[in-house]
Amino acid sequence: MPLPVPVLSEGVDPAWLPEEAFRAVGGRRVLIRGSGPLVETVHAEAAQACARFGGSLVSDDPDVVLESTGEDGSEAFTLGHRDGRTTVTASGGRGLLYGFFHVVRLGEAAFRGERHPETHRPAVAVRMLDHWDNVAVHPVMGQVERGYAGGSLFWADGRARGDLERVRAYGRLLAACGINAVAVNNVNVHATEARLLTDRIGEVTDLAGALRPYGIRTHLSVTFAAPMVLGGLETADPLDEGVRRWWAGATARVYEAIPDFGGYVVKADSEGQPGPFAYGRSHADGANMLAAALQPHGGTVHWRAFVYDHRQDWRDRTTDRARAAYDHFVPLDGAFAPNAVLQVKHGPMDFQVREPVSPLVSAMSHTPVAVELQATQEYTGQQQHVCWLGPMWSEVLRFGAEDGLPFEELVAVSNVGDDPFWTGHPLAQANLYTFGRLAWRPDADPGAVLDEWIGLSFPDAPRRLAGGLRRVLAGSWRTYEKYTAPLGVGFMVQPGHHYGPSVDGYEYSPWGTYHFADRDGIGVDRSRATGTGYTGQYTKPWDEVYESPETCPDELLLFFHHVPYGHVLKSGSTVIQHIYDTHFEGVEEVETAREVWDSLAGLVAPARHARVAERYEEQLGSAREWRDQINSYFFRKSGVPDERGRTIH
Ligand code: GCU
């Protein structure tokens, strides 16, 4: 019996799957062929759409044929349209599911004209979301670490939240944008969460059961110290036989409960988490031990490369956090097991609004790499500000991809919670959708993905609404960049929670995130000639491009170089004048966006309009604070007045 399509509770936003989005397919005669659990999901979807829009499931003379010819795991599907009939064929239920949602996305266009059969397949096999969700509320980080969308979808106050219908609905949204894997708990694994691996695996099993019908595999973050904290062993040394046996046994039991379990995510020797260094072992030793435990069952370990010294002395100019991941992992290239995936943050620091692409991504030619993006807007406005990250991610994913993708998998830190709009800020849904679609096709035009999101989420939107949504979202990342830390230098956020400006908030801290502003200039010298040598981690042409302030792109200048305030940018402006100008402009752009949003009242559901309008108030206040803090700081430091004589305190 196919499970019915999940039902949303009263008040929960349908996001990009409102009923209206199914009108085109639901008004037609639909023939479904094939068998298997995911074909049943497609069956249930089509049946519901038809019941709503007057179509029917038929056995002959269909308008659309959805056919799975086998039961393999392929995600590819072929779509064609000929003689008035649309066909979707796949060699298994997964492909058919993605084909079905593709038809939904196309709407009426799927049923018009002649369409030569075209095959669609994802460029990236694993398209995953990492939830930084805690089971027990953490005293500092709360239910969801860096979560801005309410509580967790999965956990509440120390136990499973229990709303599996909502989890199923979440799986459905993810399938409709192409995501196929979810890690259900935080990479910082605290005491309660550690037990999900053993005596609390039943709670994970329930989540896996809810996500499976939509083609999503479940993964778990585990602590490297599990053999000690859960198994009572005296060591977690990855080369110790007892430790290896413990992991093999624990993993076998996980697979008894969840036969299609995806594997483990591990944050080791990072920001205080335990890891192999304590035993004098390498990260390859650590990852390979877990890979060996997972291998007989077809699982994977995602081993995070976010390893750096978080107890740095700000006076020490030789240690450079940006270098750390590459320095730690490049010597290990080739030493990892085939089912160990190195999970690398897209930039060398930490999800700032502007960073160069991490050189580690293309340096590990003998190791599978997953690039980690951050959908949750930790450093990009915390879902109070509109900041659509599509253009940034697109730049990252295209970097070094001329001769093929330099990575195998894509991961994003999830921005979803139990909020009725899923993402706190209703417009932040666009980030989640865009991640899924770019993971499927990293070379897709992000603007086209945005239009697709608008088309699905606001079916039949009048042109003014679609245009307004595009206006407030398309340039929002660059707007955010303008009023926050300038020219790639990063941070300048309030310590701890990371919201709002504090120019020196992290300047003298142990975290390694400095801007080195003094009365003469600003920026971090990462050149080989006079700085930390970080530019040497890049291959041609970037090692040269970034090395010199003359060739370094403006937007990354202060990431790579320490320059005087009077340094003239390629844009023709000086660094100091650029800081003033962009900060005034950024605020003006938010003011305009807020007006555009106000003008859309009446075209958007009232609850959604009100929620966004509220957040625009907050964003505008915060952007003004950023502008004033940054401009005043640099005016006072440099003594250089604004050419245009605007008010700077
Ligand atoms: C950032 C973030 C932490 C998180 C860490 C990680 O530093 O602030 O909350 O744990 O990244 O990616 O592991």
Side-chain angles (χ1 to χ4, degrees), residues 132 141 145-146 186-188 267 270-271 304 306 308 321 345 349-351 372 374 378-379 413 491 496 498 506 511:
W132 286 357
M141 291 298 173
E145 180 157 335
R146 312 305 180 188
N186 190 1
V187 290
N188 293 313
K267 173 175 178 177
S270 168
E271 301 185 330
R304 297 181 82 231
F306 188 53
Y308 70 99
R321 173 164 160 184
K345 288 193 183 190
M349 296 296 284
D350 200 3
F351 301 133
E372 184 179 305
Q374 197 185 41
E378 175 177 0
Y379 294 99
V413 184
F491 290 88
H498 298 169
Y506 274 112
W511 295 93

PDB file of all heavy atoms in Angstrom, residues 132 141 145-146 186-188 267 270-271 304 306 308 321 345 349-351 372 374 378-379 413 491 496 498 506 511, ligand 1:
ATOM      1  N   TRP A 132      22.490  20.777  12.202  1.00  0.00           N
ATOM      2  CA  TRP A 132      23.242  21.002  13.439  1.00  0.00           C
ATOM      3  C   TRP A 132      22.259  20.976  14.605  1.00  0.00           C
ATOM      4  O   TRP A 132      22.234  21.873  15.446  1.00  0.00           O
ATOM      5  CB  TRP A 132      24.028  22.309  13.359  1.00  0.00           C
ATOM      6  CG  TRP A 132      25.243  22.241  12.458  1.00  0.00           C
ATOM      7  CD1 TRP A 132      25.720  21.149  11.787  1.00  0.00           C
ATOM      8  CD2 TRP A 132      26.148  23.313  12.150  1.00  0.00           C
ATOM      9  NE1 TRP A 132      26.852  21.478  11.082  1.00  0.00           N
ATOM     10  CE2 TRP A 132      27.131  22.797  11.284  1.00  0.00           C
ATOM     11  CE3 TRP A 132      26.214  24.658  12.519  1.00  0.00           C
ATOM     12  CZ2 TRP A 132      28.180  23.575  10.785  1.00  0.00           C
ATOM     13  CZ3 TRP A 132      27.260  25.432  12.025  1.00  0.00           C
ATOM     14  CH2 TRP A 132      28.231  24.893  11.175  1.00  0.00           C
ATOM     15  N   MET A 141      24.134  26.796  22.888  1.00  0.00           N
ATOM     16  CA  MET A 141      23.728  26.749  21.483  1.00  0.00           C
ATOM     17  C   MET A 141      22.242  26.442  21.281  1.00  0.00           C
ATOM     18  O   MET A 141      21.742  26.526  20.166  1.00  0.00           O
ATOM     19  CB  MET A 141      24.560  25.705  20.729  1.00  0.00           C
ATOM     20  CG  MET A 141      26.006  26.109  20.574  1.00  0.00           C
ATOM     21  SD  MET A 141      26.149  27.620  19.605  1.00  0.00           S
ATOM     22  CE  MET A 141      27.902  27.964  19.780  1.00  0.00           C
ATOM     23  N   GLU A 145      22.132  24.339  16.861  1.00  0.00           N
ATOM     24  CA  GLU A 145      23.307  25.212  16.815  1.00  0.00           C
ATOM     25  C   GLU A 145      23.251  26.053  15.547  1.00  0.00           C
ATOM     26  O   GLU A 145      23.077  25.513  14.446  1.00  0.00           O
ATOM     27  CB  GLU A 145      24.571  24.355  16.866  1.00  0.00           C
ATOM     28  CG  GLU A 145      25.843  25.172  16.823  1.00  0.00           C
ATOM     29  CD  GLU A 145      27.050  24.448  17.420  1.00  0.00           C
ATOM     30  OE1 GLU A 145      26.867  23.554  18.275  1.00  0.00           O
ATOM     31  OE2 GLU A 145      28.177  24.777  17.023  1.00  0.00           O
ATOM     32  N   ARG A 146      23.393  27.344  15.709  1.00  0.00           N
ATOM     33  CA  ARG A 146      23.297  28.285  14.579  1.00  0.00           C
ATOM     34  C   ARG A 146      21.975  28.113  13.839  1.00  0.00           C
ATOM     35  O   ARG A 146      21.916  28.246  12.610  1.00  0.00           O
ATOM     36  CB  ARG A 146      24.464  28.116  13.602  1.00  0.00           C
ATOM     37  CG  ARG A 146      25.839  28.061  14.227  1.00  0.00           C
ATOM     38  CD  ARG A 146      26.131  29.241  15.104  1.00  0.00           C
ATOM     39  NE  ARG A 146      27.475  29.161  15.688  1.00  0.00           N
ATOM     40  CZ  ARG A 146      27.915  30.001  16.613  1.00  0.00           C
ATOM     41  NH1 ARG A 146      27.129  30.953  17.094  1.00  0.00           N
ATOM     42  NH2 ARG A 146      29.129  29.887  17.082  1.00  0.00           N
ATOM     43  N   ASN A 186      23.777  17.319  15.168  1.00  0.00           N
ATOM     44  CA  ASN A 186      24.889  18.269  15.141  1.00  0.00           C
ATOM     45  C   ASN A 186      26.257  17.586  15.046  1.00  0.00           C
ATOM     46  O   ASN A 186      26.489  16.556  15.682  1.00  0.00           O
ATOM     47  CB  ASN A 186      24.801  19.083  16.447  1.00  0.00           C
ATOM     48  CG  ASN A 186      25.717  20.270  16.501  1.00  0.00           C
ATOM     49  OD1 ASN A 186      26.452  20.548  15.558  1.00  0.00           O
ATOM     50  ND2 ASN A 186      25.671  20.981  17.618  1.00  0.00           N
ATOM     51  N   VAL A 187      27.161  18.236  14.323  1.00  0.00           N
ATOM     52  CA  VAL A 187      28.542  17.737  14.243  1.00  0.00           C
ATOM     53  C   VAL A 187      29.268  17.837  15.581  1.00  0.00           C
ATOM     54  O   VAL A 187      30.235  17.109  15.813  1.00  0.00           O
ATOM     55  CB  VAL A 187      29.352  18.478  13.161  1.00  0.00           C
ATOM     56  CG1 VAL A 187      28.864  18.098  11.782  1.00  0.00           C
ATOM     57  CG2 VAL A 187      29.302  20.001  13.360  1.00  0.00           C
ATOM     58  N   ASN A 188      28.844  18.764  16.421  1.00  0.00           N
ATOM     59  CA  ASN A 188      29.342  18.771  17.799  1.00  0.00           C
ATOM     60  C   ASN A 188      28.453  17.801  18.565  1.00  0.00           C
ATOM     61  O   ASN A 188      27.297  18.106  18.841  1.00  0.00           O
ATOM     62  CB  ASN A 188      29.246  20.171  18.416  1.00  0.00           C
ATOM     63  CG  ASN A 188      30.191  21.146  17.724  1.00  0.00           C
ATOM     64  OD1 ASN A 188      31.357  20.842  17.502  1.00  0.00           O
ATOM     65  ND2 ASN A 188      29.683  22.309  17.359  1.00  0.00           N
ATOM     66  N   LYS A 267      33.322  15.274  13.123  1.00  0.00           N
ATOM     67  CA  LYS A 267      34.125  16.481  13.382  1.00  0.00           C
ATOM     68  C   LYS A 267      35.140  16.078  14.439  1.00  0.00           C
ATOM     69  O   LYS A 267      34.786  15.894  15.603  1.00  0.00           O
ATOM     70  CB  LYS A 267      33.211  17.605  13.880  1.00  0.00           C
ATOM     71  CG  LYS A 267      33.926  18.859  14.355  1.00  0.00           C
ATOM     72  CD  LYS A 267      32.923  19.973  14.716  1.00  0.00           C
ATOM     73  CE  LYS A 267      33.636  21.220  15.230  1.00  0.00           C
ATOM     74  NZ  LYS A 267      32.696  22.334  15.508  1.00  0.00           N
ATOM     75  N   SER A 270      38.690  19.199  16.284  1.00  0.00           N
ATOM     76  CA  SER A 270      38.240  20.480  15.775  1.00  0.00           C
ATOM     77  C   SER A 270      37.425  21.165  16.849  1.00  0.00           C
ATOM     78  O   SER A 270      36.451  20.591  17.343  1.00  0.00           O
ATOM     79  CB  SER A 270      37.387  20.223  14.530  1.00  0.00           C
ATOM     80  OG  SER A 270      36.678  21.368  14.126  1.00  0.00           O
ATOM     81  N   GLU A 271      37.842  22.353  17.227  1.00  0.00           N
ATOM     82  CA  GLU A 271      37.118  23.154  18.215  1.00  0.00           C
ATOM     83  C   GLU A 271      36.767  22.336  19.456  1.00  0.00           C
ATOM     84  O   GLU A 271      35.655  22.400  19.970  1.00  0.00           O
ATOM     85  CB  GLU A 271      35.863  23.782  17.582  1.00  0.00           C
ATOM     86  CG  GLU A 271      36.203  24.677  16.392  1.00  0.00           C
ATOM     87  CD  GLU A 271      35.027  25.430  15.796  1.00  0.00           C
ATOM     88  OE1 GLU A 271      33.901  24.916  15.874  1.00  0.00           O
ATOM     89  OE2 GLU A 271      35.249  26.530  15.252  1.00  0.00           O
ATOM     90  N   ARG A 304      35.220  15.629   8.379  1.00  0.00           N
ATOM     91  CA  ARG A 304      35.326  17.068   8.135  1.00  0.00           C
ATOM     92  C   ARG A 304      36.773  17.572   8.222  1.00  0.00           C
ATOM     93  O   ARG A 304      37.540  17.135   9.093  1.00  0.00           O
ATOM     94  CB  ARG A 304      34.428  17.842   9.104  1.00  0.00           C
ATOM     95  CG  ARG A 304      32.966  17.498   8.882  1.00  0.00           C
ATOM     96  CD  ARG A 304      32.047  18.259   9.796  1.00  0.00           C
ATOM     97  NE  ARG A 304      31.742  19.595   9.358  1.00  0.00           N
ATOM     98  CZ  ARG A 304      31.860  20.681  10.121  1.00  0.00           C
ATOM     99  NH1 ARG A 304      32.329  20.601  11.349  1.00  0.00           N
ATOM    100  NH2 ARG A 304      31.507  21.848   9.656  1.00  0.00           N
ATOM    101  N   PHE A 306      37.642  20.640   8.838  1.00  0.00           N
ATOM    102  CA  PHE A 306      37.638  21.910   9.573  1.00  0.00           C
ATOM    103  C   PHE A 306      38.531  21.796  10.811  1.00  0.00           C
ATOM    104  O   PHE A 306      38.080  21.836  11.944  1.00  0.00           O
ATOM    105  CB  PHE A 306      36.190  22.223   9.955  1.00  0.00           C
ATOM    106  CG  PHE A 306      35.957  23.580  10.552  1.00  0.00           C
ATOM    107  CD1 PHE A 306      36.380  24.733   9.917  1.00  0.00           C
ATOM    108  CD2 PHE A 306      35.257  23.708  11.748  1.00  0.00           C
ATOM    109  CE1 PHE A 306      36.133  25.978  10.467  1.00  0.00           C
ATOM    110  CE2 PHE A 306      35.002  24.955  12.304  1.00  0.00           C
ATOM    111  CZ  PHE A 306      35.448  26.087  11.665  1.00  0.00           C
ATOM    112  N   TYR A 308      41.823  23.239  12.780  1.00  0.00           N
ATOM    113  CA  TYR A 308      42.704  24.412  12.887  1.00  0.00           C
ATOM    114  C   TYR A 308      42.957  24.684  14.359  1.00  0.00           C
ATOM    115  O   TYR A 308      42.310  24.104  15.234  1.00  0.00           O
ATOM    116  CB  TYR A 308      42.048  25.635  12.206  1.00  0.00           C
ATOM    117  CG  TYR A 308      40.846  26.169  12.954  1.00  0.00           C
ATOM    118  CD1 TYR A 308      40.967  27.283  13.792  1.00  0.00           C
ATOM    119  CD2 TYR A 308      39.596  25.555  12.852  1.00  0.00           C
ATOM    120  CE1 TYR A 308      39.866  27.767  14.504  1.00  0.00           C
ATOM    121  CE2 TYR A 308      38.498  26.034  13.557  1.00  0.00           C
ATOM    122  CZ  TYR A 308      38.644  27.136  14.388  1.00  0.00           C
ATOM    123  OH  TYR A 308      37.562  27.606  15.095  1.00  0.00           O
ATOM    124  N   ARG A 321      45.083  30.718  10.108  1.00  0.00           N
ATOM    125  CA  ARG A 321      43.972  29.757  10.110  1.00  0.00           C
ATOM    126  C   ARG A 321      43.580  29.359   8.687  1.00  0.00           C
ATOM    127  O   ARG A 321      43.176  28.220   8.453  1.00  0.00           O
ATOM    128  CB  ARG A 321      42.784  30.372  10.859  1.00  0.00           C
ATOM    129  CG  ARG A 321      41.543  29.536  10.778  1.00  0.00           C
ATOM    130  CD  ARG A 321      40.547  29.958  11.821  1.00  0.00           C
ATOM    131  NE  ARG A 321      39.212  29.507  11.459  1.00  0.00           N
ATOM    132  CZ  ARG A 321      38.109  29.790  12.147  1.00  0.00           C
ATOM    133  NH1 ARG A 321      38.185  30.534  13.232  1.00  0.00           N
ATOM    134  NH2 ARG A 321      36.938  29.330  11.765  1.00  0.00           N
ATOM    135  N   LYS A 345      34.915  22.796   3.986  1.00  0.00           N
ATOM    136  CA  LYS A 345      34.150  24.052   3.875  1.00  0.00           C
ATOM    137  C   LYS A 345      34.572  24.792   2.610  1.00  0.00           C
ATOM    138  O   LYS A 345      35.749  24.779   2.247  1.00  0.00           O
ATOM    139  CB  LYS A 345      34.380  24.943   5.096  1.00  0.00           C
ATOM    140  CG  LYS A 345      33.712  24.419   6.354  1.00  0.00           C
ATOM    141  CD  LYS A 345      33.677  25.461   7.477  1.00  0.00           C
ATOM    142  CE  LYS A 345      33.056  24.824   8.722  1.00  0.00           C
ATOM    143  NZ  LYS A 345      32.748  25.775   9.792  1.00  0.00           N
ATOM    144  N   MET A 349      38.169  29.850   5.663  1.00  0.00           N
ATOM    145  CA  MET A 349      37.912  30.320   7.026  1.00  0.00           C
ATOM    146  C   MET A 349      36.622  29.711   7.564  1.00  0.00           C
ATOM    147  O   MET A 349      36.648  28.617   8.099  1.00  0.00           O
ATOM    148  CB  MET A 349      37.867  31.851   7.074  1.00  0.00           C
ATOM    149  CG  MET A 349      39.195  32.505   6.709  1.00  0.00           C
ATOM    150  SD  MET A 349      40.542  32.135   7.850  1.00  0.00           S
ATOM    151  CE  MET A 349      40.124  33.181   9.230  1.00  0.00           C
ATOM    152  N   ASP A 350      35.509  30.414   7.399  1.00  0.00           N
ATOM    153  CA  ASP A 350      34.301  29.920   8.055  1.00  0.00           C
ATOM    154  C   ASP A 350      33.048  30.616   7.538  1.00  0.00           C
ATOM    155  O   ASP A 350      32.435  31.393   8.266  1.00  0.00           O
ATOM    156  CB  ASP A 350      34.446  30.135   9.574  1.00  0.00           C
ATOM    157  CG  ASP A 350      33.498  29.248  10.368  1.00  0.00           C
ATOM    158  OD1 ASP A 350      32.782  28.450   9.748  1.00  0.00           O
ATOM    159  OD2 ASP A 350      33.490  29.364  11.602  1.00  0.00           O
ATOM    160  N   PHE A 351      32.635  30.286   6.324  1.00  0.00           N
ATOM    161  CA  PHE A 351      31.327  30.717   5.820  1.00  0.00           C
ATOM    162  C   PHE A 351      31.105  32.234   5.870  1.00  0.00           C
ATOM    163  O   PHE A 351      30.007  32.697   6.192  1.00  0.00           O
ATOM    164  CB  PHE A 351      30.205  30.029   6.608  1.00  0.00           C
ATOM    165  CG  PHE A 351      30.223  28.533   6.556  1.00  0.00           C
ATOM    166  CD1 PHE A 351      30.075  27.780   7.718  1.00  0.00           C
ATOM    167  CD2 PHE A 351      30.360  27.861   5.345  1.00  0.00           C
ATOM    168  CE1 PHE A 351      30.055  26.390   7.675  1.00  0.00           C
ATOM    169  CE2 PHE A 351      30.341  26.472   5.295  1.00  0.00           C
ATOM    170  CZ  PHE A 351      30.186  25.734   6.469  1.00  0.00           C
ATOM    171  N   GLU A 372      31.346  21.697   1.525  1.00  0.00           N
ATOM    172  CA  GLU A 372      30.320  22.050   2.520  1.00  0.00           C
ATOM    173  C   GLU A 372      29.962  23.534   2.387  1.00  0.00           C
ATOM    174  O   GLU A 372      30.811  24.404   2.511  1.00  0.00           O
ATOM    175  CB  GLU A 372      30.850  21.739   3.919  1.00  0.00           C
ATOM    176  CG  GLU A 372      29.842  21.978   5.028  1.00  0.00           C
ATOM    177  CD  GLU A 372      30.404  21.629   6.412  1.00  0.00           C
ATOM    178  OE1 GLU A 372      30.873  20.490   6.628  1.00  0.00           O
ATOM    179  OE2 GLU A 372      30.380  22.507   7.289  1.00  0.00           O
ATOM    180  N   GLN A 374      26.951  26.627   3.607  1.00  0.00           N
ATOM    181  CA  GLN A 374      26.147  26.865   4.806  1.00  0.00           C
ATOM    182  C   GLN A 374      24.847  27.558   4.413  1.00  0.00           C
ATOM    183  O   GLN A 374      24.829  28.754   4.133  1.00  0.00           O
ATOM    184  CB  GLN A 374      26.931  27.715   5.824  1.00  0.00           C
ATOM    185  CG  GLN A 374      26.326  27.654   7.222  1.00  0.00           C
ATOM    186  CD  GLN A 374      27.001  28.578   8.228  1.00  0.00           C
ATOM    187  OE1 GLN A 374      27.330  29.700   7.899  1.00  0.00           O
ATOM    188  NE2 GLN A 374      27.162  28.118   9.464  1.00  0.00           N
ATOM    189  N   GLU A 378      24.485  31.797   9.325  1.00  0.00           N
ATOM    190  CA  GLU A 378      25.219  32.190  10.524  1.00  0.00           C
ATOM    191  C   GLU A 378      25.878  33.565  10.379  1.00  0.00           C
ATOM    192  O   GLU A 378      25.743  34.413  11.248  1.00  0.00           O
ATOM    193  CB  GLU A 378      26.273  31.120  10.845  1.00  0.00           C
ATOM    194  CG  GLU A 378      27.164  31.494  12.013  1.00  0.00           C
ATOM    195  CD  GLU A 378      28.155  30.400  12.374  1.00  0.00           C
ATOM    196  OE1 GLU A 378      28.162  29.340  11.712  1.00  0.00           O
ATOM    197  OE2 GLU A 378      28.925  30.610  13.340  1.00  0.00           O
ATOM    198  N   TYR A 379      26.614  33.746   9.290  1.00  0.00           N
ATOM    199  CA  TYR A 379      27.354  34.995   9.084  1.00  0.00           C
ATOM    200  C   TYR A 379      26.717  35.860   8.002  1.00  0.00           C
ATOM    201  O   TYR A 379      27.338  36.803   7.518  1.00  0.00           O
ATOM    202  CB  TYR A 379      28.802  34.689   8.698  1.00  0.00           C
ATOM    203  CG  TYR A 379      29.615  34.021   9.786  1.00  0.00           C
ATOM    204  CD1 TYR A 379      29.825  32.641   9.784  1.00  0.00           C
ATOM    205  CD2 TYR A 379      30.187  34.764  10.817  1.00  0.00           C
ATOM    206  CE1 TYR A 379      30.581  32.028  10.768  1.00  0.00           C
ATOM    207  CE2 TYR A 379      30.944  34.155  11.806  1.00  0.00           C
ATOM    208  CZ  TYR A 379      31.139  32.788  11.775  1.00  0.00           C
ATOM    209  OH  TYR A 379      31.897  32.188  12.756  1.00  0.00           O
ATOM    210  N   VAL A 413      24.877  22.980   5.415  1.00  0.00           N
ATOM    211  CA  VAL A 413      24.340  23.023   6.763  1.00  0.00           C
ATOM    212  C   VAL A 413      22.916  23.556   6.642  1.00  0.00           C
ATOM    213  O   VAL A 413      22.683  24.622   6.069  1.00  0.00           O
ATOM    214  CB  VAL A 413      25.187  23.938   7.675  1.00  0.00           C
ATOM    215  CG1 VAL A 413      24.645  23.880   9.098  1.00  0.00           C
ATOM    216  CG2 VAL A 413      26.652  23.552   7.617  1.00  0.00           C
ATOM    217  N   PHE A 491      34.567  38.445   9.173  1.00  0.00           N
ATOM    218  CA  PHE A 491      34.249  38.582  10.604  1.00  0.00           C
ATOM    219  C   PHE A 491      33.778  40.002  10.934  1.00  0.00           C
ATOM    220  O   PHE A 491      32.874  40.489  10.296  1.00  0.00           O
ATOM    221  CB  PHE A 491      35.394  38.066  11.478  1.00  0.00           C
ATOM    222  CG  PHE A 491      35.456  36.563  11.345  1.00  0.00           C
ATOM    223  CD1 PHE A 491      36.208  35.963  10.334  1.00  0.00           C
ATOM    224  CD2 PHE A 491      34.661  35.765  12.146  1.00  0.00           C
ATOM    225  CE1 PHE A 491      36.188  34.589  10.167  1.00  0.00           C
ATOM    226  CE2 PHE A 491      34.648  34.384  11.967  1.00  0.00           C
ATOM    227  CZ  PHE A 491      35.418  33.812  10.987  1.00  0.00           C
ATOM    228  N   GLY A 496      30.611  35.102  19.766  1.00  0.00           N
ATOM    229  CA  GLY A 496      29.628  34.167  20.330  1.00  0.00           C
ATOM    230  C   GLY A 496      28.492  33.918  19.376  1.00  0.00           C
ATOM    231  O   GLY A 496      28.499  32.963  18.620  1.00  0.00           O
ATOM    232  N   HIS A 498      27.492  35.882  16.815  1.00  0.00           N
ATOM    233  CA  HIS A 498      27.852  36.231  15.431  1.00  0.00           C
ATOM    234  C   HIS A 498      26.829  37.085  14.693  1.00  0.00           C
ATOM    235  O   HIS A 498      26.842  37.129  13.469  1.00  0.00           O
ATOM    236  CB  HIS A 498      28.157  34.967  14.599  1.00  0.00           C
ATOM    237  CG  HIS A 498      29.312  34.195  15.115  1.00  0.00           C
ATOM    238  ND1 HIS A 498      29.627  32.923  14.674  1.00  0.00           N
ATOM    239  CD2 HIS A 498      30.257  34.505  16.045  1.00  0.00           C
ATOM    240  CE1 HIS A 498      30.698  32.486  15.321  1.00  0.00           C
ATOM    241  NE2 HIS A 498      31.088  33.422  16.155  1.00  0.00           N
ATOM    242  N   TYR A 506      36.536  40.028  17.394  1.00  0.00           N
ATOM    243  CA  TYR A 506      37.397  38.837  17.397  1.00  0.00           C
ATOM    244  C   TYR A 506      38.871  39.188  17.200  1.00  0.00           C
ATOM    245  O   TYR A 506      39.694  38.310  17.011  1.00  0.00           O
ATOM    246  CB  TYR A 506      36.958  37.873  16.279  1.00  0.00           C
ATOM    247  CG  TYR A 506      35.838  36.938  16.704  1.00  0.00           C
ATOM    248  CD1 TYR A 506      34.569  37.036  16.165  1.00  0.00           C
ATOM    249  CD2 TYR A 506      36.083  35.935  17.635  1.00  0.00           C
ATOM    250  CE1 TYR A 506      33.552  36.168  16.551  1.00  0.00           C
ATOM    251  CE2 TYR A 506      35.080  35.059  18.033  1.00  0.00           C
ATOM    252  CZ  TYR A 506      33.817  35.184  17.492  1.00  0.00           C
ATOM    253  OH  TYR A 506      32.818  34.323  17.874  1.00  0.00           O
ATOM    254  N   TRP A 511      40.815  32.917  18.149  1.00  0.00           N
ATOM    255  CA  TRP A 511      40.191  32.155  17.063  1.00  0.00           C
ATOM    256  C   TRP A 511      40.862  32.306  15.699  1.00  0.00           C
ATOM    257  O   TRP A 511      40.442  31.672  14.719  1.00  0.00           O
ATOM    258  CB  TRP A 511      38.712  32.525  16.944  1.00  0.00           C
ATOM    259  CG  TRP A 511      37.934  32.119  18.155  1.00  0.00           C
ATOM    260  CD1 TRP A 511      37.673  32.893  19.248  1.00  0.00           C
ATOM    261  CD2 TRP A 511      37.341  30.843  18.415  1.00  0.00           C
ATOM    262  NE1 TRP A 511      36.939  32.164  20.170  1.00  0.00           N
ATOM    263  CE2 TRP A 511      36.730  30.903  19.676  1.00  0.00           C
ATOM    264  CE3 TRP A 511      37.267  29.639  17.696  1.00  0.00           C
ATOM    265  CZ2 TRP A 511      36.052  29.814  20.250  1.00  0.00           C
ATOM    266  CZ3 TRP A 511      36.597  28.569  18.261  1.00  0.00           C
ATOM    267  CH2 TRP A 511      36.008  28.660  19.512  1.00  0.00           C
TER     268      TRP A 511
HETATM  269  C1  GCU B   1      31.471  27.508  13.000  1.00  0.00           C
HETATM  270  C2  GCU B   1      30.263  27.635  13.878  1.00  0.00           C
HETATM  271  C3  GCU B   1      30.172  26.539  14.886  1.00  0.00           C
HETATM  272  C4  GCU B   1      30.323  25.195  14.202  1.00  0.00           C
HETATM  273  C5  GCU B   1      31.581  25.150  13.370  1.00  0.00           C
HETATM  274  C6  GCU B   1      31.699  23.886  12.532  1.00  0.00           C
HETATM  275  O1  GCU B   1      32.631  27.789  13.707  1.00  0.00           O
HETATM  276  O2  GCU B   1      30.286  28.883  14.519  1.00  0.00           O
HETATM  277  O3  GCU B   1      28.931  26.638  15.540  1.00  0.00           O
HETATM  278  O4  GCU B   1      30.335  24.164  15.129  1.00  0.00           O
HETATM  279  O5  GCU B   1      31.580  26.218  12.477  1.00  0.00           O
HETATM  280  O6  GCU B   1      31.500  23.985  11.332  1.00  0.00           O
HETATM  281  O7  GCU B   1      32.018  22.828  13.043  1.00  0.00           O
END
